[in-house]
Amino acid sequence: MQIDGKEIFVEEIQGNGILNFVLIHNAGGNHQFFHHQIETLKKYGNIILLDLPGHGKSENLAHYNMSDLASVIVKISEKLSLKNISFIGLNNGANIIIDIALNHALPISSLVLIDPPLFMKPSFNNEINHFIQKLEEPNLNEFVSSLVESIFIKTTENNKKIAYEAFMNVDKVALQKIFKGLLEWDKTISNKLHKITYPTLCILTDEHHCTYQKMHEEAPHIEIGKVIGSKCWATLEVPAQVNAMIERFIALTEIPAF
């Protein structure tokens, strides 16, 4: 799909139900990070998979602030004339969803935020800056292999392969810009989540991206759950837990008609 002259990979999967699930992957990943959610979500609506700019099969952008990434998703949604949108985002993908919810008017039915990096502590900011620096080193293969092994607690070799190949294929400059944009964006997000009025589920993990206490403090109206035995890539590592939470959330959510 052409968005502002850039080719963005978008795949539509037909399902049952009135929802349109727009799945936004993590920084460094690609649409395959939602491989294990497709069959579950098809029971409730159509699925729109995509690769963020600079990832997978999508071309680069000149700028990668959170607002730039949000704008791409909004334009995809408008170009497809989507109604009853249920955004599901993983890690930085969840932050993009938050930016959309706060700054754009779309026919949104619900939001699912999976382990968003929010209200980050200085130590976490230092980790991200270290990651940005590592992306400039020549032995990237070794670094990505180590990253994949450290993030997964217990998973299949196929899941490791999905993560490894995604990170090896991403444009490294784009990834650095995304993480720099995340650091700046996170400085501005305090006292804003209460403005999100859509039904929202936040799924936390064993990673330190965001704490239950801080999320509940900032947005007590958001439903918060936590998976067991997974760090930040829960959609790959513990899909049964993630899918069960999403299904229960859908069952309990009144879907507004657009």
Side-chain angles (χ1 to χ4, degrees):
M1 177 182 292
Q2 287 280 321
I3 301 293
D4 294 336
K6 300 292 185 178
E7 187 65 33
I8 303 298
F9 171 81
V10 177
E11 179 183 355
E12 298 178 73
I13 299 174
Q14 296 299 310
N16 300 308
I18 67 170
L19 291 172
N20 286 293
F21 296 101
V22 179
L23 310 185
I24 308 175
H25 63 80
N26 52 317
N30 61 29
H31 68 278
Q32 291 187 7
F33 271 68
F34 290 107
H35 173 74
H36 300 302
Q37 281 65 57
I38 293 174
E39 291 304 314
T40 295
L41 297 178
K42 280 171 63 176
K43 295 186 288 184
Y44 304 97
N46 304 318
I47 299 169
I48 293 84
L49 296 168
L50 59 94
D51 287 339
L52 290 171
H55 295 66
K57 301 175 184 178
S58 294
E59 291 187 310
N60 285 320
L61 296 179
H63 304 286
Y64 283 90
N65 293 324
M66 198 69 71
S67 59
D68 300 312
L69 297 170
S71 179
V72 170
I73 306 304
V74 169
K75 289 174 181 177
I76 290 172
S77 301
E78 292 175 341
K79 199 163 186 176
L80 294 174
S81 300
L82 297 180
K83 306 294 183 184
N84 301 310
I85 301 171
S86 179
F87 282 116
I88 301 178
L90 174 65
N91 307 148
N92 200 66
N95 297 56
I96 295 170
I97 288 172
I98 292 171
D99 197 83
I100 292 171
L102 291 173
N103 298 303
H104 297 273
L106 287 175
I108 296 173
S109 292
S110 61
L111 311 175
V112 178
L113 315 173
I114 304 174
D115 206 35
L118 290 168
F119 321 116
M120 295 185 293
K121 298 179 180 179
S123 58
F124 192 14
N125 291 342
N126 291 337
E127 285 183 33
I128 293 176
N129 281 317
H130 177 70
F131 183 86
I132 291 170
Q133 293 174 357
K134 291 294 269 185
L135 288 171
E136 297 177 354
E137 296 182 3
N139 58 338
L140 193 61
N141 177 73
E142 182 179 333
F143 170 66
V144 172
S145 294
S146 175
L147 175 71
V148 170
E149 290 295 332
S150 66
I151 287 183
F152 285 120
I153 296 174
K154 184 178 182 181
T155 194
T156 65
E157 289 303 314
N158 188 58
N159 284 337
K160 292 180 182 180
K161 181 180 178 183
I162 288 173
Y164 174 80
E165 291 182 351
F167 271 83
M168 287 302 296
N169 290 329
V170 71
D171 183 275
K172 308 310 179 292
V173 174
L175 190 53
Q176 288 176 315
K177 290 181 178 179
I178 286 176
F179 279 118
K180 289 176 182 178
L182 169 63
L183 292 172
E184 293 303 313
W185 180 86
D186 188 60
K187 296 175 183 177
T188 71
I189 199 61
S190 289
N191 301 315
K192 289 186 178 179
L193 292 194
H194 71 277
K195 298 178 182 178
I196 296 177
T197 58
Y198 309 110
T200 302
L201 168 65
C202 180
I203 300 175
L204 301 180
T205 74
D206 293 341
E207 193 56 277
H208 54 280
H209 284 182
C210 180
T211 66
Y212 177 97
Q213 180 179 357
K214 185 61 176 177
M215 176 60 77
H216 183 68
E217 175 187 313
E218 292 273 343
H221 62 295
I222 289 179
E223 192 72 39
I224 306 174
K226 182 184 179 298
V227 296
I228 297 172
S230 178
K231 294 186 181 180
C232 52
W233 298 337
T235 53
L236 286 176
E237 188 161 31
V238 288
Q241 293 184 52
V242 171
N243 296 350
M245 286 187 185
I246 293 175
E247 282 200 274
R248 185 60 175 166
F249 174 64
I250 292 171
L252 296 176
T253 300
E254 292 186 13
I255 301 173
F258 292 99

